[in-house]
Amino acid sequence: MASTAEQEAVPEHAPERAGGPPVWPGAPTPLGARCRVGPDGIAGTNFALWAGGAEAVELCLFGPDGTERRLPLTELTHEIWHGFVPGIGAGQRYGYRVHGRWDPWTGARWNPAKLLLDPYARAVDGDFSLPAEVYGHVRDWPQQHVADTVRDERDSAPFVPKGVVVQDDDDWSDDRRPKTPWQDSVIYEMHVKGFTKLHPGIPEHLRGTYAGLAHPAAIEHLVRLGVTAVELLPVHQFAHEDHLLQRGLRNHWGYNSIGYFAPHAGYSSSGTTGQQVGEFKRMVRALHAAGIEVILDVVYNHTAEAGEFGPTLSLKGIDNRGYYRLQSDARRYADYTGCGNTLHVVQPQVLRLITDSLRYWVTEMGVDGFRFDLAAALARSMHDVDMLSPFLAVIAQDPVLRRVKLIAEPWDVGNGGYQVGAFPPLWTEWNDRYRDAVRDFWRGALPDVRDLGYRLSGSSDLYAWGGRRPYASVNFVTAHDGFTLRDLVTYERKHNEANGEGNRDGTHDNRSWNCGTEGETDDPAISALRLRQQRNLLTTLLLSTGVPMLVAGDEMGRTQGGNNNAYCQDNETGWLDWTLPDDPGRSHLLTLTRRLLDLRHRHPVLRRRAFFSGRGADGLRDLAWFGADGTEMTERDWYAPTATIALYLSGRDIPGRDERGEQITDDSFLAVLHAGPQPLDFRLPGPPWAETYELTVDTAREDQSAAPGTEHRGGETITVGARSVVLLRVRE
């Protein structure tokens, strides 16, 4: 259907179709743009694009002045259009125009007026500003309900970024991957820009970039803290949503991917015509040299093209029906993600795109693992979530991918999408049941402690099947979406007005407690309680069995002012404030976090490789639970309301052996978690559990330097402060 748009955009430079370089047949693999040597030793670039159902494909090359040269790709092999262009090398900007039918009612949305980003582009130059010209349909058509059916004939090339040819460079001979075992891992979820933008030790021109994260000042904080891996919020090239741009905001988190092979150009300090690739690799090398793994948060469930009323930037114009899940009314998209579209992972070419991307980031960019956003959407077969789905099956047998860290966000927004505990071996999962139980305990909302007992001890009820281990559970109290740790004890209601959505966005289920006053306060008693609650939550997390995940800044009391959905706050709200440790209370919080992580590193009993069995050495169980009177909990105690739970972790007989084949043994510990508002008299279990205990951590104290070393006899009654955690090491 032809467009009747009032005015057609005129490109800055008219395209040239003659007089350009020849196009030789080239090869259909690998997909994307790859520099190579062609016939007779002539250097050039091979271009290959899968475009199922297309009638023709034009390769568009752009000069420094914006001049566009269009070269038809005439070779077609198994729906891959390909050609070799001699003389074209690294730094060349390019895109595609794909010809075909315009028939939205059957899902066909080809429009050669729209310049399309190569799905395999390894670098992207420019930004998506999303004017009306980048939409395949007439965005401003008077009858909005049918606007997506009216084709827009205006040229989008002047308004969209271009792919960039990148020279291959995969020499990792000088790199040493840390290869941290899962049970020893501590994950630090962070944002490249948010972590570095305000860091005073990073040169200003490097702040907010990959080079900034590679700077010694940034790495020093991570090393001193004691984390083993950074989990980077999305660094794939992403676009800003139109509704945000219209409100003067930008997508900060990056969950709006459009280029699965390209590092986001906005985080590059060195340039955007391929330099971002080398800068990212140097960042990975620097982190590896410090013993820190790099895990990417990846968004393969949807793209920035949204639904039928979204822009045409790449896949939608290459083969809409091949790349996206469509409804029975093929004009509409199946949306299991809440973002307008869902990639059709059952399709072989989509599965290939995702797995090629994953392997590229491991083998050529050096990363150590992935956290999959809305992973349940990827595990769907035709409709339902299927743990035998093509995606999971391919990952399980891939010789590269099955060896890296794989973390699932085990849900999506579709029917049957909640799959916590259901992913197969090889996978770990974000355990939101851990988050909810720990939050509820410390705010006094748990009816009993049955669920908490499972969460503290590795969630065997969820993961003790199929050979899975306690580290299948990624334990977290906070994450990028939701309140920060400080806001969790400061606000009971979300305060997202700055997002411009009438405070309707973000979850209402915060499971938070403001300690008596909503928002920040000068009341010293409330401020002290809030700091203690932060210490309690961090201590609980780092003493629990499983893989702990911290969120950048929680270790020093970062706040977002009560915004629990700061995805569009690319400003001080979303950036880490490095002046926080100047406050004594925040400084003590940071010191406690470092101390707990060091304790975890030194004691294998706190990072077990196997679930507790209920048995142990010398007739003592490997895990025992006690009430306030110092006797073991009974079945009835688990069902009774209580604000206190104590767990004894035995180090006498830890499953597994060390590298020399020796039995692993360790100290034993007793942890008392007391969420009640009044101090508690707690009787320490006596022999055979312990003759003597040594106080190791007491969160009732702001300054932990005064806590360690105090000894108590088994059978002695100690006072546990109101709302606090006491950790004692068994001396004998």
Side-chain angles (χ1 to χ4, degrees), residues 19 22 35 43 74 79 128 180 209 225 253 315 364 456 473 518 536 543 561 564 578-579 595 609 627 656 694:
C35 297
T74 58
E79 297 187 312
F128 292 95
T180 307
T209 69
L225 190 61
W253 287 349
L315 305 181
E364 298 192 41
L456 297 176
S473 176
E518 185 73 2
N536 291 335
L543 294 180
N564 75 352
W578 289 94
T579 67
R595 189 155 175 270
R609 290 183 286 181
E694 179 183 73

Side-chain angles (χ1 to χ4, degrees), residues 296-368:
L296 302 188
D297 194 336
V298 289
V299 189
Y300 294 112
N301 55 77
H302 75 280
T303 75
E305 293 185 300
E308 57 269 24
F309 296 102
T312 298
L313 308 174
S314 182
L315 305 181
K316 186 181 289 187
I318 295 171
D319 184 2
N320 186 57
R321 295 178 298 187
Y323 279 108
Y324 292 115
R325 290 180 180 266
L326 305 179
Q327 299 182 24
S328 55
D329 173 4
R331 268 183 67 193
R332 314 297 183 192
Y333 293 76
D335 184 9
Y336 297 114
T337 67
C339 299
N341 64 55
T342 306
L343 281 182
H344 202 349
V345 182
V346 175
Q347 295 280 14
Q349 70 278 0
V350 180
L351 189 57
R352 179 181 179 182
L353 170 68
I354 294 173
T355 53
D356 282 353
S357 168
L358 291 169
R359 282 188 292 268
Y360 171 76
W361 286 95
V362 173
T363 61
E364 298 192 41
M365 301 296 273
V367 307
D368 305 285

